[in-house]
Amino acid sequence: MSTSKSKTVKSHCPTCNGERTCKIHGQVTKNWDWEDRQGHSANGGNNHSLLECLGCETVFYERSSWNSEDMDFWYDEEGSTCGEPTLNKSTYPKPESKRKPTWLDSIASTDSQIANILTEMYTAYDNESYILTAIGLRTALDRGTELLEIDPAISFEEKLDSLKESGWIGETEKEILGIVTNAGNAAAHRGWEPSAHEIVQLLSALEVFLQKSFIVGKKVLKINGNIPPKPKRKKKGKHGA
């Protein structure tokens, strides 16, 4: 039996969601070279590692890749150009979504279907699949209106009108949710892909609506039952006594 100390490396643990010291259980490096008939060439490689976080003991896979077309250049003290390949690292499983709200589990107790829609939507967002994220936004909004007893057979525009008439949203919120709806329609039917900044703004708009409608609103309504009623005014006598 070997008594040599196990090798370790710093890596991003998907459970701790931060850089940790990890034990190396195995590594394989695969290099590649490419050249065409015109003399153009490139090379690179992938380092595959099986790691175990020494903190939480999660075992995960890490791939570290590089290629000669993605270089980091700098100048040394003599002014000569130096360079080294940029390392691109990815792990599996991926860390839990930083975007996923803390109240997602609470909304699951209200309706498992909308929770499943939101979970898949955040998975698409984490993988930078912004077309699918936008479609998920529209689907989640559609399910949300149905839970608020809005007729599922009417158009989205009519659903937003009904939300306003029922007091769930105001005029500004109606306009904002209308943009969320249009973004989802454009992604689903015209292949429109929002930018990273745009999808964050659209996500924020939906999250505010869902949290107010299904989380904060319900908690405030429960508090109302604990508030003592206003005392009734005593009737005055004939002479004001």
Side-chain angles (χ1 to χ4, degrees):
M1 181 181 293
S2 174
T3 59
S4 61
K5 187 177 179 181
S6 299
K7 292 184 178 180
T8 61
V9 67
K10 291 285 188 178
S11 184
H12 191 99
C13 172
T15 301
C16 299
N17 202 10
E19 189 176 82
R20 298 291 185 271
T21 300
C22 301
K23 178 180 179 181
I24 301 173
H25 283 289
Q27 284 185 320
V28 175
T29 299
K30 296 289 186 179
N31 295 323
W32 55 267
D33 293 283
W34 171 86
E35 184 176 355
D36 64 15
R37 294 179 179 178
Q38 284 73 42
H40 303 110
S41 63
N43 59 77
N46 293 286
N47 185 43
H48 307 273
S49 303
L50 184 64
L51 307 176
E52 179 180 356
C53 176
L54 294 181
C56 68
E57 299 183 343
T58 295
V59 176
F60 62 98
Y61 162 79
E62 179 193 76
R63 183 181 70 179
S64 180
S65 61
W66 63 274
N67 70 79
S68 58
E69 301 301 300
D70 186 8
M71 301 286 291
D72 183 20
F73 294 101
W74 71 92
Y75 296 101
D76 63 15
E77 295 179 353
E78 298 179 354
S80 300
T81 302
C82 302
E84 62 182 5
T86 301
L87 288 177
N88 297 297
K89 294 185 177 182
S90 59
T91 59
Y92 182 84
K94 287 192 172 185
E96 282 290 314
S97 174
K98 292 182 180 180
R99 181 74 204 187
K100 190 180 296 183
T102 56
W103 46 260
L104 186 59
D105 290 338
S106 297
I107 207 170
S109 64
T110 300
D111 182 69
S112 61
Q113 185 176 350
I114 195 170
N116 290 337
I117 294 169
L118 291 171
T119 297
E120 292 194 10
M121 181 189 74
Y122 286 117
T123 299
Y125 171 76
D126 290 338
N127 287 286
E128 300 182 4
S129 300
Y130 297 148
I131 294 177
L132 295 179
T133 307
I135 295 172
L137 284 165
R138 186 193 66 168
T139 307
L141 178 58
D142 194 20
R143 179 59 181 170
T145 61
E146 187 175 354
L147 293 174
L148 295 175
E149 299 183 352
I150 304 299
D151 185 359
I154 61 179
S155 66
F156 261 108
E157 185 176 349
E158 292 171 322
K159 290 176 182 178
L160 295 180
D161 287 334
S162 296
L163 285 174
K164 182 185 175 185
E165 292 168 4
S166 302
W168 289 106
I169 60 174
E171 183 61 35
T172 300
E173 290 174 298
K174 177 188 170 186
E175 292 181 12
I176 292 172
L177 292 178
I179 295 172
V180 173
T181 302
N182 290 336
N185 288 337
H189 303 298
R190 298 188 293 278
W192 175 69
E193 182 176 9
S195 66
H197 174 73
E198 290 170 333
I199 202 67
V200 167
Q201 301 305 312
L202 293 169
L203 280 168
S204 297
L206 177 70
E207 289 166 350
V208 168
F209 166 69
L210 293 178
Q211 186 179 25
K212 185 181 74 171
S213 301
F214 299 102
I215 308 299
V216 176
K218 286 190 174 183
K219 290 181 178 179
V220 173
L221 288 173
K222 288 181 180 179
I223 295 173
N224 186 54
N226 299 327
I227 299 175
K230 182 179 180 181
K232 294 182 179 179
R233 181 179 296 182
K234 295 180 179 180
K235 292 183 179 180
K236 292 183 180 180
K238 291 183 180 181
H239 302 288

